[in-house]
Amino acid sequence: MSVFQGAAGLSRRGFLIGAGGLAAAAALTACGSGEDKPAASSGPWEFTDDRGQKAARDQRPTRVVAYVSSAAALWDYGVRPLGVFGPQKTADGTKEIQAGNIDLNAVTSIGNAWDDFSMEKFAALKPDLVITGLTGAKPTDLWVLKDDLGPKVQQIAPIVALSEYKVTLPKVIERYEQLAVALGGDANSDVIKKGKDDFRKASDDLKAAIKAKPGLKVLVVSSDKDNLYVCKPEFFADLAYYRDLGLDIVNGAGSDDYFETLSWEQAGKYPADLILTDSRTYALSRQQLAAIPTWAQLPAVKANQLADWSTEPRFNPVLAAPVIRKLTEVVQGARTDITA
């Protein structure tokens, strides 16, 4: 089976984008002030998403279905969707990284892949709101709910889409907190407050680690058996944030969003001291990459300056802080002389 896991009809772009500390503090403080009280459960409810589209209900929605990363972002605020769609479990039954702290035994799976969505299971839940990510400039650039599926879903329940496109991580976290609070979530719980403190500290520590490694050049990639995909940081919320903190990330060329596509013969196009590789099950594993001669000859690979990166960031402070801490450790331990 290919690395696309049999996802027939799934576009390569869909697969791929599935594929400073002060800024973090400002954003996370802003989203915790003035809008941190749970919305009233009675009376009309509405929320304007990042497409400028307003979802309205007679009362606050309680039967929510969400894309897995969206559900994970809301979960730690106490907003627990009934159903989730998108990759939740790997082939061996373990939890996918984008599922965060979701109790997968407590939710109904509407589909376990980007091209898998059961309208029957969805309708049976009688949802009153659907939440997903916005991955492009068009209102129809939605995780999973593409083509004619979006309108079909919309006939049953309104869709709220929060943008992951060309925005930085603190902004996405802020928007999910606003939505969580609107749905009755708690932005002042001990879990969230600790998460925010951890996020700020992790961001400050990463900024300091980057400053202590002048000249460190980082390449972030995804891959499949045919191509190497070089990330364009501005399109990824986490990478854009790391770049704001000072990390020198190679920027792929070309007019495509998210990635520059290279053949494996071109794998050495961008010299780098450190390479971050897509850690999802849908991309090539480190072992599979090692079998590709042009990859194996890269200086950073020979120096074992490799680390994991998830193409789908975690969009709340509780989930994001450990990811930033791990990157900080990687930067602290990295050599800066590989491309010298």
Side-chain angles (χ1 to χ4, degrees):
M1 180 177 289
S2 78
V3 296
F4 287 87
Q5 301 293 308
L10 180 63
S11 71
R12 175 167 283 135
R13 178 174 177 273
F15 155 72
L16 287 170
I17 65 172
L22 182 60
L28 293 179
T29 299
C31 70
S33 60
E35 296 188 44
D36 54 1
K37 295 180 180 178
S41 59
S42 61
W45 182 93
E46 63 181 39
F47 188 89
T48 301
D49 72 6
D50 290 341
R51 302 171 297 172
Q53 298 186 14
K54 183 180 292 183
R57 308 286 342 191
D58 292 339
Q59 291 191 331
R60 186 180 73 205
T62 58
R63 303 186 65 81
V64 175
V65 169
Y67 176 65
V68 60
S69 291
S70 302
L74 298 170
W75 193 269
D76 296 307
Y77 289 94
V79 177
R80 307 292 165 84
L82 296 174
V84 295
F85 55 94
Q88 304 133 49
K89 291 183 179 180
T90 64
D92 65 4
T94 57
K95 184 186 285 189
E96 287 278 11
I97 53 177
Q98 58 261 52
N101 292 321
I102 298 171
D103 180 357
L104 295 179
N105 294 320
V107 297
T108 298
S109 177
I110 307 300
N112 191 42
W114 290 295
D115 62 342
D116 181 16
F117 187 97
S118 169
M119 282 298 299
E120 292 78 10
K121 290 181 179 179
F122 173 69
L125 288 177
K126 299 181 180 179
D128 49 17
L129 188 69
V130 180
I131 301 167
T132 191
L134 181 65
T135 65
K138 301 192 298 293
T140 53
D141 290 334
L142 305 176
W143 279 122
V144 180
L145 308 180
K146 297 182 179 299
D147 303 323
D148 61 345
L149 182 58
K152 289 179 181 178
V153 166
Q154 187 84 38
Q155 289 177 359
I156 296 175
I159 299 172
V160 164
L162 298 187
S163 183
E164 306 171 18
Y165 178 77
K166 300 183 79 170
V167 289
T168 63
L169 184 59
K171 179 61 178 177
V172 188
I173 291 175
E174 177 185 357
R175 287 293 280 152
Y176 270 106
E177 178 164 305
Q178 290 170 353
L179 178 57
V181 170
L183 291 170
D186 186 358
N188 286 314
S189 69
D190 290 344
V191 168
I192 294 297
K193 286 194 289 188
K194 183 180 185 302
K196 290 180 180 180
D197 288 343
D198 289 347
F199 184 92
R200 295 184 190 105
K201 184 179 187 308
S203 297
D204 287 338
D205 289 347
L206 177 57
K207 187 173 184 178
I210 294 167
K211 187 175 181 180
K213 293 289 175 123
L216 180 68
K217 184 167 286 293
V218 182
L219 180 68
V220 187
V221 299
S222 189
S223 59
D224 62 29
K225 62 183 178 61
D226 298 314
N227 298 106
L228 181 68
Y229 302 96
V230 176
C231 294
K232 299 181 178 182
E234 67 180 295
F235 292 97
F236 295 91
D238 57 342
L239 299 184
Y241 183 50
Y242 303 154
R243 193 172 59 176
D244 284 351
L245 294 178
L247 194 62
D248 183 6
I249 304 177
V250 170
N251 192 17
S255 59
D256 291 343
D257 287 356
Y258 290 97
F259 293 91
E260 175 186 2
T261 301
L262 301 178
S263 68
W264 281 111
E265 288 74 20
Q266 300 172 296
K269 179 177 179 179
Y270 295 108
D273 300 299
L274 171 66
I275 303 178
L276 307 182
T277 63
D278 191 343
S279 59
R280 295 169 304 158
T281 56
Y282 300 90
L284 296 184
S285 68
R286 204 69 57 74
Q287 184 176 9
Q288 290 171 314
L289 285 167
I292 299 173
T294 52
W295 171 265
Q297 291 304 309
L298 296 178
V301 175
K302 286 183 173 180
N304 197 31
Q305 292 232 131
L306 303 170
D308 291 339
W309 168 72
S310 171
T311 309
E312 294 192 45
R314 269 70 89 196
F315 292 130
N316 76 36
V318 175
L319 299 175
V323 178
I324 298 173
R325 281 200 298 268
K326 182 62 178 176
L327 179 59
T328 300
E329 293 174 4
V330 170
V331 170
Q332 288 171 336
R335 290 167 49 192
T336 60
D337 61 343
I338 304 300
T339 61

